[in-house]
Amino acid sequence: MTSRCNRLDASPGFGASRRFGASARFGASARFGAVATVAAGVLGLGLTGCSHGSALGPKGPAIYEATISARTARVWVYLNVQAPRARTYILAEGETNLSNGDCALGVQAAGVTTNELFTGNDLYFQVPEEARATSGAKAWDEVVFRSTARRGPAVAAGSALAGPALTDVDPAPLLGVLAAQPERSVFVASAIIGDRPAREYRLDFRTSALVAPSLGTGGETNAGVISLIAGLPHPGKGILPVYVWLDRQGRAVQLATSATLETEPADPSALQAALANQLPATVSLRVDLGNFGERFTLEPPPPGEVSRVPVSRLQAGVL
């Protein structure tokens, strides 16, 4: 078993800036310009077009328990928005502690990479050198979320596709959808994921169960941006299919879902309103997991390198 310590520091070599070969240095306006584009952009993710079988599959909670029992994993999150004249593609890559939801990610959007760490209800993200004048010359910003609003964009159903892509790609609430009970679980096909055999299942979730803030203990939804995807279509859909691929241990190695807004409703949600000027608009999500059980340590940056900022500034994109 390998061991790695991901202690966050101010070097641009951490996380996705190293893996993608992209520079982590960029201006504040570019950083949050990219972050805020997610609700107006475009890029579709095609789901597997297999015919649905009749064999019943495992229920979501069984998949969730098998997955988090691995304790840790490498994670890749792909968030796409596709519309006729625009497109957005956001990729996050890093490590996640499946036991408590902590993770270290490099988030790439609009050619810009931001290094971030989620730990508990705190989000740390690296501030580029040219933007540090507004953060007291500190290398990192820290955002503290209320305990009843643990991370994720969809604490209130229908909120915008969270302004900050930094929280949209948080894997903890995305995997939390598997803890819910689907209406139906059906085997689709055998597949190869990451050079390893996997079995694909379709889990049908009631849209009302995902959109309502009923999955979390504090009144929030644990489905994260999936809850926004569930509430996107108009006319509305009663069921949101979530496709999941399982390895031989029954762990989720890939999860995917999408939804399309075809017409603007009379009383649109914030996300529907943001996408209504370019219809049809499709929001797609894919989460990949691998390297289960690999040991690593997530440590926040030293206090002297951190400037604390309110969550409202992150949501407004004015940091």
Side-chain angles (χ1 to χ4, degrees), residues 43-47 76-81 90 161 168-171 173-175 177 223-227 229 240-243 245 254-259 282-288:
L43 184 118
L45 173 66
L47 297 179
W76 296 260
V77 179
Y78 307 84
L79 180 60
N80 312 283
V81 185
I90 296 172
L161 187 55
D168 287 337
V169 295
D170 179 6
L174 302 180
L175 295 175
V177 71
V225 74
I226 293 179
S227 66
I229 293 175
L240 177 73
V242 176
Y243 293 84
W245 287 258
Q254 192 172 101
L255 178 152
T257 191
S258 68
T282 298
V283 179
S284 303
L285 172 77
R286 193 180 99 200
V287 181
D288 291 357

Side-chain angles (χ1 to χ4, degrees), residues 47-48 52 58-60 63 173-188 199-207 210 223 225-227 229-230 239-246 252 254-259 285-287:
L47 297 179
T48 304
H52 300 143
K59 295 298 185 181
I63 300 172
L174 302 180
L175 295 175
V177 71
L178 296 175
Q181 188 71 40
E183 289 293 303
R184 186 177 66 154
S185 174
V186 177
F187 172 71
V188 176
R199 292 169 65 85
E200 178 189 358
Y201 295 88
R202 170 177 165 155
L203 308 182
D204 289 337
F205 293 94
R206 284 202 174 275
T207 299
L210 296 180
V225 74
I226 293 179
S227 66
I229 293 175
I239 294 291
L240 177 73
V242 176
Y243 293 84
V244 61
W245 287 258
L246 308 183
Q254 192 172 101
L255 178 152
T257 191
S258 68
L285 172 77
R286 193 180 99 200
V287 181

